[in-house]
Amino acid sequence: MQRTLLRRRKKSLSPEDVTVSDQPMVRRAVSAAALGNTMEWFDFGVYAYLAGTLGKVFFPSSSPGAQVVATFATFAAAFVVRPLGGLVFGPLGDRIGRQRVLAATMIMMAASTFAVGFLPSYASIGFAAPLLLLLCRLVQGFSTGGEYAGATTYIAEYAPDQRRGFLGSWLDFGTFVGYSLGSGLVTVLTLTLGSDGLESWGWRIPFFIAGPLGIIGLYMRLKLEETPAFKQEVASAAAGRGDGEGQDEERGDGGDPVEEARQSGKGRLKEIFTRHWQAVLICMGLVLLYNVTNYMVTSYLPTFMTVTLGESDTTAQVLVLGTMLLVALAITTVGRSSDRWGRRPMFMGGSIALIALSVPAFLLIREGGILFPAFGCAILGLLLVCFAGTAAATLPALFPTRLRYGALSIAFNISVSLFGGTTPLFASFLVERTGNTLIPGYYLMVAGVIGLVSTFFLHETAGQPLRGSGPMVETQGEAREVVARSRVEEGRRARDLWLRLRHPRGGGKASRTPGERSGERDE
């Protein structure tokens, strides 16, 4: 018992254990990471709003319903290769650094999106046209496999512990700004060019814009430095030390840390699925909750209103665009709230609300007109923002520093590929087969149940250091406060340890004062 107590004893923090964030670098890190997400979702917004047009350009021989399914099947194909991208880029980011991998994913994403604008139509080269579209989507999906997990990891490892939710929410702010820009551009093109002009050549314009956006994003990412957490991990491995507090629990073996730092990708994958499988399952459940809601609103809803309900393109586009603007305006407030109230309450409240309000939202949307569908879309947007504003701070905290990028990439992309990216395809297929226009609402209810179960097993991480890393604060004054508080807590733990060693069977408790016994219970 004495050996066990001594081994579990944690030392107080020293000033060297606390990292003071570089505020200008934090702002640059958030901006560069968010821009990549903006470009990724600019493409998604364009693709969702052009689904009907792209179906006519690349699948002209099919019926309108079949064209939509074929277009979304091509959209979903990109998600098939996302786990492969996660398997490649994730462990690579844990070995060579986050910044290099994020630069590589930006290049691939921008080039493949830009190339779509140059593709010939089915009328020009026949069946080769949809095959080329599929190829571009596969490259996009492969690069995206390392994008979101890397960006969330990068921001989380730069953000102070007390502001991780707020700063992380800017990443998904970029998501919805990108979607709004893409969908807004398609809306303007539809109004100015008409359906014929859009189908003839106008659909290419949004994809051409991806080229300049990619160059700007790449420049910003090349100017970034590596994260403090990754630098500490590399230095710790090189010095032959562990990766911080909780090393024995996270590694689970007494191996040499230098050799572990050189561990192959296969060895890292084995460790992820054997020692961190619970965190992987929680991550997948939360990602399913977020992304099923996300893709239902952003990718499927415009097509649902136009093809299934018969609304005009302009009405559907304006309603969904307004929803995205609502999400963008509220998302940083939700992120800040998660720093104050915690990640679990935000996810749990959002999950319960999703179960209760999904079907009523779609009942409103199918009423037609403007007013009722606007209320329905607003409900879905407010449900979505509960998850969007919290995810970027919650998911990276599930895994230790040395495995964070790889574990998050794998768990995130498997869940997105199986459930998120296939949401438009399955929803459109089920609606067409059953004729039930409330199917999307039931689909969201199932996602809410899975998210609620996942949240039940989620540990609260708001205001806490990332696993495997020391505290991160904004000022030197905060650093001194953290060290002083740690020393006080260490003194209390030392007293408790002395009492336990002196009275291993619980004897002598009566000799302590009620205040001492109360303090022991609090710890």
Side-chain angles (χ1 to χ4, degrees):
M1 178 181 176
Q2 292 180 5
R3 287 195 299 268
T4 300
L5 290 172
L6 289 170
R7 186 166 59 247
R8 290 182 177 176
R9 180 182 177 184
K10 297 179 180 179
K11 296 182 179 179
S12 62
L13 295 171
S14 67
E16 291 76 18
D17 296 325
V18 182
T19 303
V20 179
S21 61
D22 182 347
Q23 292 305 305
M25 183 57 69
V26 170
R27 288 192 290 269
R28 286 168 55 190
V30 171
S31 300
L35 184 59
N37 245 30
T38 299
M39 202 194 80
E40 175 188 349
W41 279 89
F42 175 84
D43 168 56
F44 284 154
V46 167
Y47 202 90
Y49 271 50
L50 287 177
T53 301
L54 293 177
K56 296 175 184 178
V57 172
F58 291 97
F59 308 98
S61 60
S62 304
S63 66
Q67 286 178 350
V68 171
V69 172
T71 304
F72 280 132
T74 306
F75 178 82
F79 291 86
V80 175
V81 298
R82 282 186 70 155
L84 297 178
L87 286 170
V88 172
F89 291 120
L92 190 63
D94 286 326
R95 297 178 68 185
I96 68 172
R98 287 74 161 111
Q99 184 265 346
R100 295 180 184 179
V101 174
L102 285 174
T105 59
M106 175 64 76
I107 294 173
M108 294 180 64
M109 191 162 49
S112 56
T113 304
F114 188 55
V116 173
F118 292 96
L119 295 181
S121 65
Y122 187 95
S124 300
I125 61 173
F127 190 65
L131 288 180
L132 290 174
L133 176 64
L134 176 62
L135 178 62
C136 290
R137 292 295 302 167
L138 292 177
V139 175
Q140 288 172 336
F142 186 79
S143 63
T144 305
E147 173 61 33
Y148 185 82
T152 56
T153 295
Y154 197 89
I155 291 179
E157 292 182 349
Y158 254 116
D161 298 332
Q162 300 297 328
R163 301 186 68 210
R164 190 174 299 120
F166 172 68
L167 293 174
S169 66
W170 285 99
L171 179 66
D172 289 277
F173 174 83
T175 293
F176 295 102
V177 167
Y179 185 93
S180 300
L181 290 174
S183 56
L185 178 58
V186 174
T187 302
V188 172
L189 291 174
T190 303
L191 292 173
T192 55
L193 300 178
S195 298
D196 293 338
L198 196 65
E199 183 180 341
S200 176
W201 58 275
W203 65 270
R204 300 179 185 274
I205 296 175
F207 296 103
F208 289 151
I209 296 176
L213 282 178
I215 293 174
I216 296 172
L218 178 61
Y219 173 79
M220 293 181 65
R221 289 191 173 181
L222 289 176
K223 292 292 185 180
L224 294 177
E225 298 179 2
E226 198 49 77
T227 67
F230 184 78
K231 289 179 179 178
Q232 292 172 3
E233 178 66 27
V234 172
S236 176
R241 296 185 285 109
D243 62 354
E245 189 173 304
Q247 173 192 350
D248 293 336
E249 295 177 357
E250 291 175 3
R251 296 184 190 275
D253 53 30
D256 177 55
V258 177
E259 288 300 317
E260 292 184 73
R262 298 170 182 165
Q263 188 180 22
S264 66
K266 183 178 179 180
R268 290 175 183 269
L269 291 178
K270 181 180 179 180
E271 184 176 351
I272 289 169
F273 287 107
T274 56
R275 302 191 184 281
H276 301 282
W277 60 270
Q278 291 176 311
V280 168
L281 291 179
I282 293 172
C283 181
M284 290 180 64
L286 297 178
V287 171
L288 181 152
L289 172 67
Y290 174 22
N291 281 273
V292 166
T293 309
N294 192 10
Y295 289 108
M296 185 70 76
V297 176
T298 59
S299 297
Y300 178 65
L301 195 56
T303 304
F304 173 76
M305 287 193 287
T306 54
V307 177
T308 304
L309 301 182
E311 298 287 346
S312 68
D313 289 343
T314 303
T315 299
Q317 290 169 355
V318 169
L319 286 174
V320 178
L321 178 58
T323 304
M324 293 301 98
L325 292 175
L326 174 64
V327 173
L329 290 173
I331 194 167
T332 56
T333 301
V334 173
R336 192 190 302 273
S337 299
S338 75
D339 285 327
R340 181 178 180 182
W341 298 332
R343 323 293 188 216
R344 294 184 79 241
M346 302 303 296
F347 270 110
M348 193 165 291
S351 299
I352 294 172
L354 189 67
I355 296 170
L357 298 177
S358 294
V359 171
F362 275 92
L363 285 172
L364 290 170
I365 290 171
R366 75 177 190 179
E367 284 297 311
I370 293 292
L371 183 60
F372 287 113
F375 277 118
C377 290
I379 291 172
L380 293 178
L382 293 175
L383 293 173
L384 173 58
V385 80
C386 293
F387 317 130
T390 316
T394 305
L395 302 180
L398 291 169
F399 304 103
T401 301
R402 63 184 298 273
L403 299 171
R404 182 170 297 125
Y405 197 158
L408 181 53
S409 291
I410 294 167
F412 183 89
N413 288 297
I414 290 176
S415 186
V416 170
S417 299
L418 292 178
F419 310 108
T422 57
T423 294
L425 175 62
F426 286 150
S428 60
F429 174 77
L430 291 173
V431 169
E432 186 174 3
R433 288 295 299 270
T434 64
N436 188 345
T437 55
L438 292 180
I439 287 291
Y442 300 140
Y443 203 100
L444 289 178
M445 290 179 66
V446 174
V449 172
I450 295 174
L452 187 61
V453 173
S454 302
T455 306
F456 180 79
F457 294 98
L458 177 68
H459 294 290
E460 186 56 71
T461 59
Q464 302 297 318
L466 295 172
R467 291 183 61 185
S469 300
M472 175 83 77
V473 298
E474 292 188 84
T475 65
Q476 291 291 345
E478 290 181 4
R480 289 191 291 269
E481 291 178 5
V482 169
V483 173
R485 187 165 56 247
S486 173
R487 289 173 178 171
V488 171
E489 292 174 354
E490 169 60 16
R492 296 176 64 188
R493 285 193 295 265
R495 182 200 61 186
D496 179 72
L497 177 62
W498 180 83
L499 291 172
R500 288 174 181 269
L501 291 175
R502 184 177 179 182
H503 307 286
R505 298 184 182 276
K509 285 187 177 181
S511 63
R512 282 172 281 163
T513 66
E516 289 177 329
R517 292 196 297 271
S518 176
E520 182 178 352
R521 285 194 301 271
D522 292 342
E523 292 190 38

mmCIF file with all atom_site columns, all heavy atoms in Angstrom, residues 53-70:
data_model
loop_
_atom_site.group_PDB
_atom_site.id
_atom_site.type_symbol
_atom_site.label_atom_id
_atom_site.label_alt_id
_atom_site.label_comp_id
_atom_site.label_asym_id
_atom_site.label_entity_id
_atom_site.label_seq_id
_atom_site.pdbx_PDB_ins_code
_atom_site.Cartn_x
_atom_site.Cartn_y
_atom_site.Cartn_z
_atom_site.occupancy
_atom_site.B_iso_or_equiv
_atom_site.pdbx_formal_charge
_atom_site.auth_seq_id
_atom_site.auth_comp_id
_atom_site.auth_asym_id
_atom_site.auth_atom_id
_atom_site.pdbx_PDB_model_num
ATOM 1   N N   . THR A 1 53 ? -27.623 21.041 -60.663 1.00 0.00 ? 53 THR A N   1
ATOM 2   C CA  . THR A 1 53 ? -26.932 21.444 -61.894 1.00 0.00 ? 53 THR A CA  1
ATOM 3   C C   . THR A 1 53 ? -25.846 20.444 -62.280 1.00 0.00 ? 53 THR A C   1
ATOM 4   O O   . THR A 1 53 ? -25.719 20.056 -63.455 1.00 0.00 ? 53 THR A O   1
ATOM 5   C CB  . THR A 1 53 ? -26.318 22.840 -61.721 1.00 0.00 ? 53 THR A CB  1
ATOM 6   O OG1 . THR A 1 53 ? -27.347 23.774 -61.401 1.00 0.00 ? 53 THR A OG1 1
ATOM 7   C CG2 . THR A 1 53 ? -25.598 23.279 -62.986 1.00 0.00 ? 53 THR A CG2 1
ATOM 8   N N   . LEU A 1 54 ? -25.050 20.014 -61.315 1.00 0.00 ? 54 LEU A N   1
ATOM 9   C CA  . LEU A 1 54 ? -24.001 19.032 -61.606 1.00 0.00 ? 54 LEU A CA  1
ATOM 10  C C   . LEU A 1 54 ? -24.596 17.712 -62.072 1.00 0.00 ? 54 LEU A C   1
ATOM 11  O O   . LEU A 1 54 ? -24.000 17.011 -62.904 1.00 0.00 ? 54 LEU A O   1
ATOM 12  C CB  . LEU A 1 54 ? -23.138 18.816 -60.359 1.00 0.00 ? 54 LEU A CB  1
ATOM 13  C CG  . LEU A 1 54 ? -22.287 20.007 -59.913 1.00 0.00 ? 54 LEU A CG  1
ATOM 14  C CD1 . LEU A 1 54 ? -21.545 19.673 -58.617 1.00 0.00 ? 54 LEU A CD1 1
ATOM 15  C CD2 . LEU A 1 54 ? -21.299 20.407 -60.991 1.00 0.00 ? 54 LEU A CD2 1
ATOM 16  N N   . GLY A 1 55 ? -25.765 17.350 -61.545 1.00 0.00 ? 55 GLY A N   1
ATOM 17  C CA  . GLY A 1 55 ? -26.432 16.141 -62.018 1.00 0.00 ? 55 GLY A CA  1
ATOM 18  C C   . GLY A 1 55 ? -26.779 16.226 -63.490 1.00 0.00 ? 55 GLY A C   1
ATOM 19  O O   . GLY A 1 55 ? -26.630 15.259 -64.244 1.00 0.00 ? 55 GLY A O   1
ATOM 20  N N   . LYS A 1 56 ? -27.217 17.407 -63.946 1.00 0.00 ? 56 LYS A N   1
ATOM 21  C CA  . LYS A 1 56 ? -27.538 17.585 -65.367 1.00 0.00 ? 56 LYS A CA  1
ATOM 22  C C   . LYS A 1 56 ? -26.290 17.604 -66.231 1.00 0.00 ? 56 LYS A C   1
ATOM 23  O O   . LYS A 1 56 ? -26.312 17.147 -67.374 1.00 0.00 ? 56 LYS A O   1
ATOM 24  C CB  . LYS A 1 56 ? -28.313 18.891 -65.548 1.00 0.00 ? 56 LYS A CB  1
ATOM 25  C CG  . LYS A 1 56 ? -29.663 18.911 -64.846 1.00 0.00 ? 56 LYS A CG  1
ATOM 26  C CD  . LYS A 1 56 ? -30.324 20.276 -64.970 1.00 0.00 ? 56 LYS A CD  1
ATOM 27  C CE  . LYS A 1 56 ? -31.628 20.321 -64.183 1.00 0.00 ? 56 LYS A CE  1
ATOM 28  N NZ  . LYS A 1 56 ? -32.263 21.668 -64.246 1.00 0.00 ? 56 LYS A NZ  1
ATOM 29  N N   . VAL A 1 57 ? -25.185 18.152 -65.696 1.00 0.00 ? 57 VAL A N   1
ATOM 30  C CA  . VAL A 1 57 ? -23.947 18.260 -66.483 1.00 0.00 ? 57 VAL A CA  1
ATOM 31  C C   . VAL A 1 57 ? -23.248 16.922 -66.611 1.00 0.00 ? 57 VAL A C   1
ATOM 32  O O   . VAL A 1 57 ? -22.766 16.559 -67.698 1.00 0.00 ? 57 VAL A O   1
ATOM 33  C CB  . VAL A 1 57 ? -23.006 19.297 -65.841 1.00 0.00 ? 57 VAL A CB  1
ATOM 34  C CG1 . VAL A 1 57 ? -21.633 19.288 -66.531 1.00 0.00 ? 57 VAL A CG1 1
ATOM 35  C CG2 . VAL A 1 57 ? -23.620 20.686 -65.918 1.00 0.00 ? 57 VAL A CG2 1
ATOM 36  N N   . PHE A 1 58 ? -23.200 16.145 -65.515 1.00 0.00 ? 58 PHE A N   1
ATOM 37  C CA  . PHE A 1 58 ? -22.407 14.923 -65.510 1.00 0.00 ? 58 PHE A CA  1
ATOM 38  C C   . PHE A 1 58 ? -23.238 13.637 -65.580 1.00 0.00 ? 58 PHE A C   1
ATOM 39  O O   . PHE A 1 58 ? -22.695 12.574 -65.877 1.00 0.00 ? 58 PHE A O   1
ATOM 40  C CB  . PHE A 1 58 ? -21.531 14.881 -64.254 1.00 0.00 ? 58 PHE A CB  1
ATOM 41  C CG  . PHE A 1 58 ? -20.443 15.909 -64.247 1.00 0.00 ? 58 PHE A CG  1
ATOM 42  C CD1 . PHE A 1 58 ? -20.601 17.120 -63.592 1.00 0.00 ? 58 PHE A CD1 1
ATOM 43  C CD2 . PHE A 1 58 ? -19.248 15.682 -64.925 1.00 0.00 ? 58 PHE A CD2 1
ATOM 44  C CE1 . PHE A 1 58 ? -19.598 18.078 -63.591 1.00 0.00 ? 58 PHE A CE1 1
ATOM 45  C CE2 . PHE A 1 58 ? -18.240 16.631 -64.935 1.00 0.00 ? 58 PHE A CE2 1
ATOM 46  C CZ  . PHE A 1 58 ? -18.415 17.835 -64.275 1.00 0.00 ? 58 PHE A CZ  1
ATOM 47  N N   . PHE A 1 59 ? -24.556 13.727 -65.315 1.00 0.00 ? 59 PHE A N   1
ATOM 48  C CA  . PHE A 1 59 ? -25.419 12.544 -65.390 1.00 0.00 ? 59 PHE A CA  1
ATOM 49  C C   . PHE A 1 59 ? -26.709 12.896 -66.136 1.00 0.00 ? 59 PHE A C   1
ATOM 50  O O   . PHE A 1 59 ? -27.810 12.774 -65.594 1.00 0.00 ? 59 PHE A O   1
ATOM 51  C CB  . PHE A 1 59 ? -25.763 12.042 -63.976 1.00 0.00 ? 59 PHE A CB  1
ATOM 52  C CG  . PHE A 1 59 ? -24.561 11.835 -63.096 1.00 0.00 ? 59 PHE A CG  1
ATOM 53  C CD1 . PHE A 1 59 ? -24.188 12.815 -62.192 1.00 0.00 ? 59 PHE A CD1 1
ATOM 54  C CD2 . PHE A 1 59 ? -23.810 10.674 -63.169 1.00 0.00 ? 59 PHE A CD2 1
ATOM 55  C CE1 . PHE A 1 59 ? -23.091 12.639 -61.366 1.00 0.00 ? 59 PHE A CE1 1
ATOM 56  C CE2 . PHE A 1 59 ? -22.712 10.476 -62.355 1.00 0.00 ? 59 PHE A CE2 1
ATOM 57  C CZ  . PHE A 1 59 ? -22.340 11.461 -61.454 1.00 0.00 ? 59 PHE A CZ  1
ATOM 58  N N   . PRO A 1 60 ? -26.605 13.316 -67.396 1.00 0.00 ? 60 PRO A N   1
ATOM 59  C CA  . PRO A 1 60 ? -27.776 13.868 -68.090 1.00 0.00 ? 60 PRO A CA  1
ATOM 60  C C   . PRO A 1 60 ? -28.834 12.837 -68.455 1.00 0.00 ? 60 PRO A C   1
ATOM 61  O O   . PRO A 1 60 ? -29.980 13.195 -68.690 1.00 0.00 ? 60 PRO A O   1
ATOM 62  C CB  . PRO A 1 60 ? -27.157 14.496 -69.347 1.00 0.00 ? 60 PRO A CB  1
ATOM 63  C CG  . PRO A 1 60 ? -25.925 13.696 -69.581 1.00 0.00 ? 60 PRO A CG  1
ATOM 64  C CD  . PRO A 1 60 ? -25.394 13.350 -68.219 1.00 0.00 ? 60 PRO A CD  1
ATOM 65  N N   . SER A 1 61 ? -28.488 11.561 -68.527 1.00 0.00 ? 61 SER A N   1
ATOM 66  C CA  . SER A 1 61 ? -29.444 10.557 -68.995 1.00 0.00 ? 61 SER A CA  1
ATOM 67  C C   . SER A 1 61 ? -30.370 10.045 -67.912 1.00 0.00 ? 61 SER A C   1
ATOM 68  O O   . SER A 1 61 ? -31.259 9.249  -68.187 1.00 0.00 ? 61 SER A O   1
ATOM 69  C CB  . SER A 1 61 ? -28.686 9.371  -69.608 1.00 0.00 ? 61 SER A CB  1
ATOM 70  O OG  . SER A 1 61 ? -27.831 8.778  -68.643 1.00 0.00 ? 61 SER A OG  1
ATOM 71  N N   . SER A 1 62 ? -30.181 10.472 -66.664 1.00 0.00 ? 62 SER A N   1
ATOM 72  C CA  . SER A 1 62 ? -30.969 9.958  -65.549 1.00 0.00 ? 62 SER A CA  1
ATOM 73  C C   . SER A 1 62 ? -32.172 10.856 -65.286 1.00 0.00 ? 62 SER A C   1
ATOM 74  O O   . SER A 1 62 ? -32.260 11.989 -65.749 1.00 0.00 ? 62 SER A O   1
ATOM 75  C CB  . SER A 1 62 ? -30.104 9.883  -64.283 1.00 0.00 ? 62 SER A CB  1
ATOM 76  O OG  . SER A 1 62 ? -28.944 9.101  -64.517 1.00 0.00 ? 62 SER A OG  1
ATOM 77  N N   . SER A 1 63 ? -33.116 10.321 -64.499 1.00 0.00 ? 63 SER A N   1
ATOM 78  C CA  . SER A 1 63 ? -34.253 11.116 -64.047 1.00 0.00 ? 63 SER A CA  1
ATOM 79  C C   . SER A 1 63 ? -33.774 12.135 -63.015 1.00 0.00 ? 63 SER A C   1
ATOM 80  O O   . SER A 1 63 ? -32.689 11.972 -62.447 1.00 0.00 ? 63 SER A O   1
ATOM 81  C CB  . SER A 1 63 ? -35.307 10.207 -63.423 1.00 0.00 ? 63 SER A CB  1
ATOM 82  O OG  . SER A 1 63 ? -34.802 9.608  -62.229 1.00 0.00 ? 63 SER A OG  1
ATOM 83  N N   . PRO A 1 64 ? -34.547 13.192 -62.744 1.00 0.00 ? 64 PRO A N   1
ATOM 84  C CA  . PRO A 1 64 ? -34.098 14.184 -61.755 1.00 0.00 ? 64 PRO A CA  1
ATOM 85  C C   . PRO A 1 64 ? -33.754 13.581 -60.406 1.00 0.00 ? 64 PRO A C   1
ATOM 86  O O   . PRO A 1 64 ? -32.744 13.941 -59.797 1.00 0.00 ? 64 PRO A O   1
ATOM 87  C CB  . PRO A 1 64 ? -35.300 15.137 -61.667 1.00 0.00 ? 64 PRO A CB  1
ATOM 88  C CG  . PRO A 1 64 ? -35.971 15.027 -62.989 1.00 0.00 ? 64 PRO A CG  1
ATOM 89  C CD  . PRO A 1 64 ? -35.796 13.601 -63.418 1.00 0.00 ? 64 PRO A CD  1
ATOM 90  N N   . GLY A 1 65 ? -34.586 12.651 -59.898 1.00 0.00 ? 65 GLY A N   1
ATOM 91  C CA  . GLY A 1 65 ? -34.285 12.015 -58.619 1.00 0.00 ? 65 GLY A CA  1
ATOM 92  C C   . GLY A 1 65 ? -33.012 11.201 -58.684 1.00 0.00 ? 65 GLY A C   1
ATOM 93  O O   . GLY A 1 65 ? -32.181 11.226 -57.775 1.00 0.00 ? 65 GLY A O   1
ATOM 94  N N   . ALA A 1 66 ? -32.831 10.457 -59.782 1.00 0.00 ? 66 ALA A N   1
ATOM 95  C CA  . ALA A 1 66 ? -31.624 9.640  -59.925 1.00 0.00 ? 66 ALA A CA  1
ATOM 96  C C   . ALA A 1 66 ? -30.385 10.521 -60.095 1.00 0.00 ? 66 ALA A C   1
ATOM 97  O O   . ALA A 1 66 ? -29.289 10.151 -59.653 1.00 0.00 ? 66 ALA A O   1
ATOM 98  C CB  . ALA A 1 66 ? -31.766 8.697  -61.120 1.00 0.00 ? 66 ALA A CB  1
ATOM 99  N N   . GLN A 1 67 ? -30.558 11.677 -60.745 1.00 0.00 ? 67 GLN A N   1
ATOM 100 C CA  . GLN A 1 67 ? -29.424 12.594 -60.886 1.00 0.00 ? 67 GLN A CA  1
ATOM 101 C C   . GLN A 1 67 ? -28.942 13.078 -59.520 1.00 0.00 ? 67 GLN A C   1
ATOM 102 O O   . GLN A 1 67 ? -27.738 13.144 -59.269 1.00 0.00 ? 67 GLN A O   1
ATOM 103 C CB  . GLN A 1 67 ? -29.836 13.798 -61.741 1.00 0.00 ? 67 GLN A CB  1
ATOM 104 C CG  . GLN A 1 67 ? -29.961 13.500 -63.219 1.00 0.00 ? 67 GLN A CG  1
ATOM 105 C CD  . GLN A 1 67 ? -30.419 14.715 -64.011 1.00 0.00 ? 67 GLN A CD  1
ATOM 106 O OE1 . GLN A 1 67 ? -30.820 15.728 -63.432 1.00 0.00 ? 67 GLN A OE1 1
ATOM 107 N NE2 . GLN A 1 67 ? -30.373 14.619 -65.329 1.00 0.00 ? 67 GLN A NE2 1
ATOM 108 N N   . VAL A 1 68 ? -29.892 13.399 -58.646 1.00 0.00 ? 68 VAL A N   1
ATOM 109 C CA  . VAL A 1 68 ? -29.520 13.855 -57.308 1.00 0.00 ? 68 VAL A CA  1
ATOM 110 C C   . VAL A 1 68 ? -28.799 12.750 -56.545 1.00 0.00 ? 68 VAL A C   1
ATOM 111 O O   . VAL A 1 68 ? -27.768 12.977 -55.912 1.00 0.00 ? 68 VAL A O   1
ATOM 112 C CB  . VAL A 1 68 ? -30.765 14.320 -56.531 1.00 0.00 ? 68 VAL A CB  1
ATOM 113 C CG1 . VAL A 1 68 ? -30.421 14.594 -55.072 1.00 0.00 ? 68 VAL A CG1 1
ATOM 114 C CG2 . VAL A 1 68 ? -31.343 15.573 -57.172 1.00 0.00 ? 68 VAL A CG2 1
ATOM 115 N N   . VAL A 1 69 ? -29.338 11.525 -56.620 1.00 0.00 ? 69 VAL A N   1
ATOM 116 C CA  . VAL A 1 69 ? -28.698 10.405 -55.923 1.00 0.00 ? 69 VAL A CA  1
ATOM 117 C C   . VAL A 1 69 ? -27.300 10.166 -56.480 1.00 0.00 ? 69 VAL A C   1
ATOM 118 O O   . VAL A 1 69 ? -26.342 9.936  -55.733 1.00 0.00 ? 69 VAL A O   1
ATOM 119 C CB  . VAL A 1 69 ? -29.565 9.135  -56.039 1.00 0.00 ? 69 VAL A CB  1
ATOM 120 C CG1 . VAL A 1 69 ? -28.813 7.921  -55.485 1.00 0.00 ? 69 VAL A CG1 1
ATOM 121 C CG2 . VAL A 1 69 ? -30.874 9.318  -55.301 1.00 0.00 ? 69 VAL A CG2 1
ATOM 122 N N   . ALA A 1 70 ? -27.144 10.218 -57.819 1.00 0.00 ? 70 ALA A N   1
ATOM 123 C CA  . ALA A 1 70 ? -25.831 10.006 -58.424 1.00 0.00 ? 70 ALA A CA  1
ATOM 124 C C   . ALA A 1 70 ? -24.852 11.104 -58.023 1.00 0.00 ? 70 ALA A C   1
ATOM 125 O O   . ALA A 1 70 ? -23.671 10.835 -57.756 1.00 0.00 ? 70 ALA A O   1
ATOM 126 C CB  . ALA A 1 70 ? -25.970 9.959  -59.946 1.00 0.00 ? 70 ALA A CB  1
#
